[in-house]
Amino acid sequence: MPEQSILRFENVTVTFDEIPVLDGISFEMRRGDTCVILGAAGSGKTVLLKTAIGLIKPSAGRVFLFGTDITELDEQELFDLRAKTGVLFQEGALFDSLTIEENVAYPLVNQRAAKRKKREIRELVEESLRFVELAHTLDKFPSELSGGMRRRVGIARAIVTEPPLVLYDSPTAGLDPITANTIVTLIIKERDVKKTTTVLVTQRYQDGHLLANFRYNPRNGQVEPVTGNGHSDTLKTRFLVLRQGRLTFVGDQQQLEASADPYVSKFVKREI
Amino acid sequence: MLDILKPPVLALQDFYSLAGRAIRNIVRRPHYYDDIVLQMDIIGVGSLPIVLLTGFFSGAVMALQMSRALSQYGATGQVGMIVSISLVRELGPVLTAVVVAGRNASGMASELGSMKVTEQIDAMRALGTDPIQKLVKPRLIATAVVLPLLTIVADFVGLVGGYVVAVPLLSLTTAGEYWNTAWRAIEYNDIAQGLLKPLVFAIIIALVGCFYGMRTSGGTQGVGRATTQAVVVASVWVFVVTFFITRVFVNL
């Protein structure tokens, strides 16, 4: 079990100024899983993601990342585990004093485990930017790009080291529906092409619905709805619903849509 | 009562923790040499014009103030000595530190604060760099190197300022006497405290600036607050610490 477990929360509680922001969270993700975490603003979604990679230390409980208990690890020890995790922060969190190329190259240049030659770094950066269809922006600065483009660069930076686990923090927040769909399509493409374990934190049920029911077809380069039974075993999408720091729901899409909980159904009843 | 004391005590604890980690990391790899050189340029070369101006006029005003007092005792020939002692021991280090605190502690707090509120510091940690190594250490080293150098420059142009007032402007003394008394007045003890002070001030300015930047919260308003706090706290500490260093040297 431990070698298959990518991320495990065991009764994790996080408190800020004695107020619990996460309260007794437990769940587990295995290789290839997709996990959609829904919740209103301030429900603890971002804190949960940051706790998963040790940016925030839990005040109680344990977090296992790639089978290692990270609760007691110091910053230096965490770097090797974080190198295997890609993160897209809310709003992208690009370094605004660096160019797009330097931003995407940042993990390649700075991760200790991944020392590479300049030429190789440039190739990987270009490949990653091509993946998000922004290969022409290498010399630009983040402020010169639109909000949607910045998120896409954020995705390119998160996946440039080809991490087996990628965490996306509200990738579609504040974007128009068309751009939001482009972003989710990229997430599906990354998940299906690189077979990454994916955690998506979002306020929009539509994002989760797309992730659960669509897959990337490498033959035509399009995202298509899953049809028939052939794919259902590979689409292991679970939904978690957070409410004021507590998990009020864990289950698949059918269970989510059937839930009688008024808070949960508020997310689902939106038009898809 | 305990509730009132808790936040400052916790802040002090955080400050010591940051200071400890920053100082421990000075010898630990990786070293970001590019960042150190860049910060030296920003803090050192960038502060040079304002340091030259404040240094020159503080020396000039010292000579001006002393001219009346010294003429009462018929000791106007000693103006060089007074300007040089007060500049090297106290005014040069303190004024340069206050100017650099105003310019660079605020710069550090606002730059790091903006990075904090836009999650760039978290992104940095997530992408494999320790912000203490990448952001705090270069600023600490750069300030510790350039502030003593800036102080030396300020001391010198201050003496020039004093000379301009004392010799060509007021004819209090001759050029030879001015520079002779100024030079002879300075002892090793004065040079030691004149250089130790900027080193200590540099550590205070860099750490206070980075500390307030790294603990910024509350969006752009928080960045503004952090910037103000950094300048105020760094400047106040400069004045407090200079008292204690002087106290030690006076007894030597």
Side-chain angles (χ1 to χ4, degrees):
Chain A
M1 186 186 84
E3 71 273 12
Q4 281 294 314
S5 173
I6 299 280
L7 177 64
R8 190 163 86 238
F9 273 53
E10 279 182 7
N11 219 5
V12 171
T13 298
V14 174
T15 51
F16 289 158
D17 296 329
E18 291 164 25
I19 300 160
V21 188
L22 289 182
D23 194 357
I25 304 283
S26 297
F27 69 93
E28 182 172 20
M29 290 189 69
R30 290 160 183 257
R31 196 173 296 278
D33 278 359
T34 300
C35 182
V36 178
I37 302 173
L38 293 163
S43 57
K45 305 187 298 291
T46 300
V47 175
L48 190 145
L49 277 199
K50 289 186 179 175
T51 311
I53 52 168
L55 294 177
I56 295 173
K57 296 273 178 203
S59 38
R62 304 204 158 271
V63 180
F64 294 84
L65 186 62
F66 297 102
T68 309
D69 182 356
I70 63 164
T71 326
E72 304 294 331
L73 293 187
D74 69 23
E75 194 81 3
Q76 300 293 329
E77 293 169 315
L78 275 166
F79 284 147
D80 293 332
L81 286 172
R82 285 186 193 147
K84 295 197 274 181
T85 314
V87 190
L88 171 69
F89 285 90
Q90 228 165 6
E91 314 277 335
L94 299 177
F95 302 120
D96 44 23
S97 55
L98 302 182
T99 63
I100 300 304
E101 181 182 2
E102 290 165 334
N103 261 288
V104 180
Y106 195 91
L108 296 170
V109 175
N110 287 291
Q111 280 171 3
R112 285 181 300 181
K115 286 283 173 227
R116 293 178 173 89
K117 292 197 182 92
K118 267 189 180 165
R119 197 143 134 240
E120 196 187 347
I121 288 175
R122 170 96 184 188
E123 279 167 17
L124 286 167
V125 168
E126 283 177 351
E127 187 193 321
S128 194
L129 281 170
R130 262 199 307 276
F131 188 89
V132 296
E133 291 158 20
L134 284 175
H136 56 286
T137 60
L138 278 172
D139 299 324
K140 289 194 175 356
F141 281 91
S143 56
E144 298 173 72
L145 303 184
S146 69
M149 286 162 106
R150 282 204 287 269
R151 306 275 169 95
R152 277 149 70 191
V153 174
I155 293 178
R157 186 176 68 178
I159 64 172
V160 70
T161 54
E162 304 206 342
L165 169 67
V166 187
L167 315 173
Y168 301 92
D169 188 359
S170 307
T172 58
L175 296 179
D176 62 87
I178 296 164
T179 316
N181 273 355
T182 314
I183 301 281
V184 179
T185 305
L186 282 173
I187 294 171
I188 295 171
K189 185 174 155 191
E190 161 68 16
R191 178 193 66 184
D192 294 343
V193 172
K194 310 268 173 65
K195 309 285 179 218
T196 46
T197 310
T198 304
V199 181
L200 172 76
V201 156
T202 183
Q203 294 175 327
R204 290 175 11 126
Y205 175 63
Q206 298 97 303
D207 299 344
H209 171 77
L210 285 171
L211 232 61
N213 296 291
F214 284 72
R215 10 187 338 106
Y216 179 73
N217 185 342
R219 262 167 270 146
N220 59 10
Q222 299 287 317
V223 168
E224 309 176 328
V226 178
T227 49
N229 299 326
H231 295 297
S232 57
D233 58 337
T234 54
L235 278 182
K236 294 176 286 185
T237 306
R238 266 190 310 152
F239 287 80
L240 274 62
V241 180
L242 268 178
R243 182 186 190 180
Q244 290 175 343
R246 287 171 170 272
L247 272 184
T248 53
F249 174 87
V250 181
D252 63 22
Q253 196 180 7
Q254 279 79 28
Q255 291 167 322
L256 182 77
E257 287 180 353
S259 172
D261 186 310
Y263 179 80
V264 173
S265 56
K266 257 184 209 163
F267 282 100
V268 185
K269 292 281 161 57
R270 295 240 182 101
E271 266 184 45
I272 297 159
Chain B
M1 183 65 187
L2 271 177
D3 284 345
I4 301 169
L5 284 176
K6 212 171 153 186
V9 171
L10 282 177
L12 198 64
Q13 185 189 343
D14 289 346
F15 180 78
Y16 281 134
S17 156
L18 175 92
R21 283 170 65 197
I23 289 165
R24 224 179 20 247
N25 275 333
I26 284 178
V27 287
R28 194 184 274 177
R29 288 162 70 88
H31 305 294
Y32 298 100
Y33 295 108
D34 292 355
D35 291 304
I36 296 174
V37 173
L38 179 72
Q39 289 303 322
M40 281 182 179
D41 182 50
I42 293 172
I43 301 163
V45 182
S47 303
L48 205 52
I50 190 169
V51 165
L52 287 174
L53 277 171
T54 47
F56 181 88
F57 283 103
S58 57
V61 86
M62 271 298 295
L64 213 52
Q65 291 283 8
M66 286 301 135
S67 63
R68 252 174 63 193
L70 289 173
S71 60
Q72 280 179 357
Y73 301 101
T76 50
Q78 301 301 310
V79 66
M81 181 186 84
I82 293 205
V83 171
S84 86
I85 287 182
S86 53
L87 271 178
V88 172
R89 281 191 194 163
E90 204 60 64
L91 283 180
V94 170
L95 287 178
T96 311
V98 169
V99 165
V100 172
R103 200 179 163 274
N104 296 106
S106 59
M108 291 175 203
S110 60
E111 190 181 349
L112 269 55
S114 307
M115 290 182 78
K116 177 79 194 307
V117 297
T118 53
E119 290 189 308
Q120 290 178 52
I121 302 240
D122 277 337
M124 205 170 252
R125 292 171 65 198
L127 296 171
T129 36
D130 183 352
I132 305 278
Q133 288 266 25
K134 176 86 178 160
L135 299 173
V136 181
K137 189 171 102 177
R139 283 165 175 77
L140 178 63
I141 294 176
T143 319
V145 171
V146 299
L147 195 60
L149 296 177
L150 285 172
T151 304
I152 293 170
V153 172
D155 289 347
F156 178 70
V157 293
L159 280 169
V160 173
Y163 165 80
V164 169
V165 168
V167 184
L169 211 64
L170 299 182
S171 302
L172 297 174
T173 177
T174 62
E177 194 180 15
Y178 178 86
W179 289 110
N180 197 21
T181 52
W183 174 251
R184 289 168 69 129
I186 300 167
E187 293 171 8
Y188 283 115
N189 179 311
D190 302 322
I191 295 175
Q193 67 168 307
L195 290 179
L196 176 72
K197 279 178 184 173
L199 186 70
V200 177
F201 297 159
I203 296 169
I204 293 171
I205 291 167
L207 288 178
V208 167
C210 293
F211 171 71
Y212 281 104
M214 298 279 276
R215 74 199 303 258
T216 305
S217 61
T220 43
Q221 211 178 15
V223 176
R225 209 168 35 237
T227 309
T228 314
Q229 281 175 323
V231 176
V232 171
V233 172
S235 308
V236 168
W237 273 108
V238 163
F239 284 106
V240 173
V241 168
T242 192
F243 171 79
F244 287 104
I245 297 179
T246 308
R247 183 83 186 81
V248 170
F249 274 90
V250 161
N251 284 354
L252 281 180

